[in-house]
Amino acid sequence: MSRKVLVRCRPGTDLGRHHQLRALEAARGLRGPDASAFERVELRLGQAPAGARLSVRGLWLDVPADWTLAADLGSRLAALTRRAQPGGEPPAPGERRGAGRPKALFFKSLLNSADKELGAAHLYQGVFYIASALKAAGIACVLVDGRISLEEGRLVTEPEALERALRDNPDVNFVGITLFDAYFEKARALVEFVKSRSEAFVAVGGSMPSQHPRQTLAHLPGVDFLVRGAGEEVVPRMLGILGGSNARTGLSEGQLEALGELGGVWTARPGLLQAASPDHVIRVEDMDSSRLDFSLLDRAHVSAGTVLYFSRGCPYACLFCTSQDKARFTGKSARELARTLSAYGRRLRELYGRWSAVPAPAFGVGFYDDDFLSDRDRAIELFEVFRKSPFHIQFFQSSINSFYRGHGRAGSEELDEDLLDAMPEALFLPKWGDVGAAARRPYVYIGTENYCDEELRRLGKPYRYARVERLVAELSRRRIRQAHHFIVSNARTRPGQILENLERIAALDARHAPYYGVLKPVISHLVSFYSSPSYQTLEKLGLLGCARVRERLSLPGFPELDYPLVDRDLPRDERAREMAALMSSWTTGSWERALAQARAYLGRSEARVAG
């Protein structure tokens, strides 16, 4: 694929971004006479007659406006390329950096949910890493409170904080927004809100932009930049190129040229679209090189402990997962953990003045890694760092198989005793002060997801219930408190499978409380996001009608840019659908009560059928 693809619209040509995206997609695979990719491909849309010229720097194509509506656009561009004639070099692009100093604005954490995120005061880890990198580069960064609101008709939880930040910082020229499918509509409104009050460029990153850059840019016309993958290394470089430029002053040819060298960065301006290495997803190869700056934290962030994201990815590939890092893993070392804890400790002393004034919970560190145990040898080394330090682990996330030898591969049913021995209950408790509250919270969040073997297969989970049962018993014996994720239903769930789940959960709860628990509110429905393999499975089985879509993003005549915003998967079985809808109310009390209500419901439904 070409290293850089640039699409320009001839001035006065009324072609929207969707035309540019189609042209870019058709052009990115063009190859030269020797079948090699071009360093650069530039298209001028709306330019007639069609023509092509080659130079040592790349390929330039003049493309008539109506070609983007042709079904054979790719073939036309390929034929045009084969007829390309040597041409003169374009003029030198000029100054590659904008005048003035850049200033960025990010939200401390836009993510919100009714469970673990609700009321949490920590920074979103992607923002924490980017803001730390910006500070190290000497670039000013404003961090704003406010999450995506869970209330209808409200954009963010603290709109006045955003208004004030934009008003008090008119020199902000770059606003970063983390984007996920789950809140696309509010993110779209947020982009419009920022654009109406600021001259700043708006950039998006996160899961949706990383996996579907074309659809993202097509349906967010106010966005100026898109970053695929990790941002902490590339965003400071972007801002160094921008200097003090903003959306009003625009970009020079030199700045555009420099941005085109940042693989994974897409630039979208009026009449212009550029993708640098369009297929590239940015990853940090050495996570130890990404340092966190704890001076960004204040007392509100640390009084109850802090949260870190110390690795990326996991060794598994669950069918509903949308992470670009699934089935791959990279993480920070034990040495870097020791350095990080020392830096965090220094910040605590700065904030509280003396060690004796630091509340005991502040020494707790939680980990939102996809799977903290992905590399078991590394995990044991990290546990040892905590054991020798004044800090304790508040919680970490993991999966069933990661507690088994060899991650349960090759049919291994043996729990990893060495790993379990390295994480005693004491590792999760404050080393002084009252441990009462800490002893009642979950220490480990486990992505169990289901307790029915057939359902586990549908979800792509590489284990069966027998492993869940064995692990729960062993962790409980060791007094390790667990909160297991539970997805009640998917498109193919049957009533009996919901009942089987409740029977097994109730039995585990009866045997292993208070150490065993299920995270509430339960996840009543699987969500097969458009980028997930589970969505593809629904399509293959003819079950897309079971995916409830909040909104289908579309542009007439451009079906390749369609993007369904899936709200949830609804069971095709009517009784399973009703049971999933009732589960939130059934699970407000004990699991025995939930089981009794499910049995009563099935009894009534069977009686209706018999009658």
Side-chain angles (χ1 to χ4, degrees):
M1 296 295 175
S2 300
R3 294 280 298 273
K4 175 168 63 177
V5 182
L6 173 61
V7 181
R8 302 178 192 266
C9 291
R10 184 172 61 83
T13 304
D14 187 19
L15 292 175
R17 186 178 289 180
H18 47 303
H19 289 266
Q20 299 168 36
L21 287 162
R22 177 175 283 177
L24 186 147
E25 180 66 15
R28 67 193 185 100
L30 293 175
R31 293 187 174 274
D34 60 353
S36 62
F38 295 103
E39 279 292 311
R40 171 193 181 113
V41 175
E42 181 170 333
L43 285 74
R44 293 188 293 178
L45 293 186
Q47 192 74 30
R53 58 190 175 89
L54 280 168
S55 81
V56 295
R57 294 181 57 207
L59 172 70
W60 277 258
L61 301 174
D62 292 335
V63 181
D66 59 354
W67 278 28
T68 59
L69 299 176
D72 62 344
L73 174 60
S75 299
R76 293 189 186 195
L77 294 182
L80 194 60
T81 300
R82 289 192 293 271
R83 299 196 302 270
Q85 298 297 314
E89 286 294 314
E95 180 58 49
R96 293 165 58 91
R97 293 178 177 270
R101 298 179 63 82
K103 188 174 186 179
L105 181 148
F106 285 88
F107 293 85
K108 293 179 181 178
S109 181
L110 277 176
L111 275 68
N112 208 353
S113 69
D115 45 62
K116 286 184 291 184
E117 293 291 341
L118 193 62
H122 57 264
L123 291 181
Y124 175 64
Q125 291 296 290
V127 170
F128 196 3
Y129 276 99
I130 291 172
S132 297
L134 290 175
K135 188 167 182 181
I139 297 173
C141 181
V142 178
L143 295 176
V144 182
D145 289 310
R147 297 171 180 266
I148 290 293
S149 176
L150 299 179
E151 300 176 20
E152 285 291 332
R154 190 174 186 186
L155 188 58
V156 292
T157 54
E158 299 184 46
E160 63 285 349
L162 177 56
E163 288 265 20
R164 184 169 57 252
L166 293 174
R167 183 180 63 248
D168 295 347
N169 297 276
D171 53 340
V172 162
N173 68 323
F174 185 97
V175 175
I177 294 175
T178 306
L179 177 62
F180 290 88
D181 292 41
Y183 57 77
F184 177 88
E185 299 94 325
K186 290 197 174 183
R188 178 173 55 196
L190 181 58
V191 171
E192 295 171 357
F193 181 91
V194 170
K195 285 288 188 177
S196 69
R197 290 162 172 77
S198 172
E199 296 180 340
F201 293 115
V202 173
V204 292
S207 176
M208 183 176 174
S210 294
Q211 297 187 70
H212 293 280
R214 292 184 303 132
Q215 288 89 338
T216 300
L217 288 175
H219 301 293
L220 289 178
V223 165
D224 303 289
F225 298 106
L226 179 147
V227 176
R228 299 191 71 186
E232 63 260 43
E233 293 180 345
V234 77
V235 169
R237 296 177 65 188
M238 292 173 66
L239 284 162
I241 293 167
L242 296 180
S245 304
N246 59 35
R248 178 181 58 80
T249 60
L251 299 170
S252 70
E253 286 296 314
Q255 288 174 300
L256 192 62
E257 182 83 8
L259 289 166
E261 296 170 2
L262 303 180
V265 173
W266 295 48
T267 303
R269 299 290 298 141
L272 181 149
L273 177 68
Q274 176 175 271
S277 299
D279 290 336
H280 183 61
V281 176
I282 305 166
R283 292 185 171 90
V284 177
E285 298 302 325
D286 177 14
M287 283 201 65
D288 280 5
S289 66
S290 291
R291 297 287 177 85
L292 294 170
D293 189 328
F294 289 97
S295 68
L296 297 169
L297 305 185
D298 55 31
R299 284 196 182 192
H301 297 122
V302 304
S303 61
T306 194
V307 173
L308 299 177
Y309 198 63
F310 232 58
S311 67
R312 290 171 190 173
C314 82
Y316 310 113
C318 301
L319 295 182
F320 54 86
C321 180
T322 60
S323 171
Q324 64 264 23
D325 290 318
K326 64 183 175 183
R328 65 170 71 221
F329 176 81
T330 182
K332 288 179 176 288
S333 67
R335 171 182 283 186
E336 182 61 16
L337 175 62
R339 193 208 67 81
T340 300
L341 292 180
S342 295
Y344 177 52
R346 289 193 295 273
R347 181 57 176 163
L348 289 178
R349 186 162 186 176
E350 289 172 359
L351 289 170
Y352 289 95
R354 62 185 188 279
W355 287 117
S356 59
V358 180
F363 286 90
V365 181
F367 291 91
Y368 267 155
D369 302 42
D370 294 335
D371 188 341
F372 191 77
L373 305 181
S374 289
D375 181 338
R376 58 89 68 184
D377 293 338
R378 167 184 169 275
I380 291 173
E381 292 175 356
L382 299 183
F383 292 150
E384 183 64 11
V385 172
F386 272 98
R387 189 184 68 80
K388 294 179 178 179
S389 80
F391 300 93
H392 63 278
I393 296 177
Q394 285 190 329
F395 66 85
F396 65 78
Q397 298 187 139
S398 192
S399 57
I400 295 294
N401 268 14
S402 292
F403 290 92
Y404 282 81
R405 289 198 176 279
H407 288 287
R409 298 189 184 97
S412 172
E413 300 298 332
E414 185 180 355
L415 285 164
D416 192 332
E417 296 290 342
D418 292 339
L419 175 65
L420 292 168
D421 288 345
M423 45 175 281
E425 181 188 23
L427 201 68
F428 300 92
L429 300 175
K431 297 181 178 177
W432 59 82
D434 181 18
V435 301
R440 293 188 294 273
R441 56 164 168 73
Y443 306 158
V444 184
Y445 291 93
I446 303 178
T448 305
E449 317 304 0
N450 212 270
Y451 298 79
C452 168
D453 287 354
E454 188 174 356
E455 293 280 73
L456 287 169
R457 279 191 290 271
R458 288 174 185 154
L459 296 173
K461 305 301 286 188
Y463 54 83
R464 300 297 173 255
Y465 172 67
R467 285 188 187 172
V468 178
E469 187 177 34
R470 189 178 301 115
L471 176 62
V472 168
E474 183 60 22
L475 289 176
S476 300
R477 186 185 71 79
R478 293 170 179 262
R479 301 171 61 89
I480 302 300
R481 290 178 176 259
Q482 316 134 57
H484 293 252
H485 291 264
F486 172 37
I487 301 174
V488 176
S489 70
N490 58 74
R492 292 181 281 169
T493 299
R494 299 188 302 275
Q497 292 165 339
I498 295 179
L499 191 64
E500 181 180 358
N501 270 294
L502 293 177
E503 289 171 344
R504 288 179 167 176
I505 291 172
L508 291 173
D509 186 63
R511 289 197 300 268
H512 301 298
Y515 303 107
Y516 168 79
V518 172
L519 189 64
K520 294 182 180 180
V522 297
I523 305 166
S524 59
H525 300 80
L526 179 72
V527 182
S528 291
F529 292 110
Y530 181 57
S531 57
S532 69
S534 60
Y535 184 91
Q536 298 166 18
T537 298
L538 292 180
E539 187 172 28
K540 180 180 178 180
L541 297 175
L543 294 176
L544 283 181
C546 293
R548 190 168 83 180
V549 176
R550 304 190 309 273
E551 180 182 348
R552 182 173 295 278
L553 307 175
S554 63
L555 293 163
F558 290 78
E560 72 273 22
L561 299 176
D562 284 1
Y563 196 97
L565 296 171
V566 179
D567 182 62
R568 60 183 58 188
D569 296 9
L570 298 173
R572 58 181 171 179
D573 183 288
E574 185 177 344
R575 291 188 301 162
R577 185 179 304 185
E578 290 186 14
M579 292 176 77
L582 291 167
M583 193 59 66
S584 294
S585 62
W586 287 352
T587 55
T588 54
S590 71
W591 287 103
E592 278 293 340
R593 176 176 172 271
L595 176 59
Q597 289 181 301
R599 284 172 172 165
Y601 168 84
L602 287 176
R604 290 193 300 271
S605 66
E606 289 169 3
R608 286 197 302 269
V609 172

